[in-house]
Amino acid sequence: MSSSVQRKRIRKSPAARRAEIVEAAAAVALTEGLECITLRRIADELDVRPGLVSHYFPSAEDLVAEAFGDAASAELDALLPAERPDASPTEHLARFFARATGEAYEDISRLWINARHLSRYRPALRDRVGEQEAAWRGRLEDLIREGVERDEFRTDDPYVTTIQILVVIDGLGAHANTDTSNRPAAVTRMAVTTAERELGLVNGTLTRTVDTPSDQA
């Protein structure tokens, strides 16, 4: 006697389905690039009909922007959590640099390069890139201001210092698509050096303070 088991389809809520689509698109963006996001491609990834994806995202351009925003927001939350109850501003800044300049974040650096290039031609993506840049500035500036209030950092203008640090990080990240194995240590450390100088910290503070690698998982 033969029998067959029919796979039971679980009906997801609209919010859960939309989140699933964005997550799949973000994964494609990180591994292959934003250009590879199409409604059909994401439908294939999720084993659903393209019409289901287009129900939530009628335009692929909107999905591209949402995928970038999702990946960039996840990166920001990992690097600079909004809630920081467990350590001092100096410790959080040290952890930030240890993570943001490590190999683990090369994929997200490539994604930023990709997004900034494509944003010239895609208004929805351009708006999302601007939103994420503002979020980065805001989160890092908040940390620096907290450090100033606690007398850990010294700067006359936390906003300007924030931009100086981010400009250096972006400049170093712009080479994520090229071989940087021969980059001098002084160049690799430029973002940390800039932060220590602009925040009145002794040279090496932000590398000595960072926790062991197990904390960076």
Side-chain angles (χ1 to χ4, degrees):
M1 181 177 178
S2 63
S3 63
S4 61
V5 178
Q6 188 175 19
R7 186 175 63 177
K8 183 178 180 180
R9 290 188 175 274
I10 300 174
R11 186 176 182 84
K12 298 183 178 180
S13 69
R17 179 64 77 182
R18 189 181 191 280
E20 179 184 54
I21 292 170
V22 172
E23 182 180 359
V28 170
L30 282 167
T31 56
E32 301 177 40
L34 292 166
E35 299 94 332
C36 295
I37 296 176
T38 65
L39 302 184
R40 180 171 293 279
R41 171 63 191 281
I42 303 307
D44 289 343
E45 289 288 323
L46 296 175
D47 192 25
V48 299
R49 292 191 176 95
L52 179 61
V53 179
S54 64
H55 172 74
Y56 291 93
F57 295 95
S59 167
E61 298 303 311
D62 292 334
L63 181 54
V64 167
E66 193 73 14
F68 167 73
D70 184 75
S73 293
E75 176 205 26
L76 179 57
D77 288 339
L79 294 176
L80 283 173
E83 300 296 328
R84 302 180 295 270
D86 61 330
S88 70
T90 301
E91 290 169 329
H92 279 292
L93 191 59
R95 293 176 189 175
F96 164 71
F97 282 117
R99 295 165 175 170
T101 57
E103 293 182 3
Y105 281 87
E106 287 185 355
D107 283 345
I108 198 71
S109 293
R110 294 187 183 98
L111 181 61
W112 271 98
I113 295 170
N114 189 201
R116 283 173 168 145
H117 170 68
L118 293 180
S119 67
R120 288 184 61 190
Y121 320 102
R122 305 186 180 191
L125 180 59
R126 182 166 59 246
D127 290 345
R128 192 55 62 91
V129 168
E131 290 174 9
Q132 289 299 322
E133 288 175 339
W136 267 83
R137 288 193 301 270
R139 193 75 63 86
L140 182 56
E141 184 183 359
D142 286 346
L143 177 60
I144 290 174
R145 288 188 183 279
E146 182 183 348
V148 172
E149 291 170 0
R150 295 191 182 190
D151 203 29
E152 293 184 30
F153 304 150
R154 294 187 301 278
T155 175
D156 293 332
D157 195 329
Y159 179 71
V160 170
T161 299
T162 295
I163 294 177
Q164 289 174 318
I165 293 170
L166 291 178
V167 164
V168 177
I169 290 175
D170 284 344
L172 295 172
H175 297 275
N177 289 324
T178 57
D179 181 11
T180 59
S181 58
N182 293 323
R183 176 181 282 173
V187 175
T188 300
R189 198 179 181 280
M190 279 179 64
V192 176
T193 301
T194 299
E196 289 173 341
R197 182 185 67 242
E198 297 302 322
L199 295 174
L201 298 173
V202 174
N203 183 48
T205 298
L206 295 176
T207 48
R208 288 194 301 268
T209 305
V210 70
D211 290 339
T212 59
S214 62
D215 179 68
Q216 300 174 27

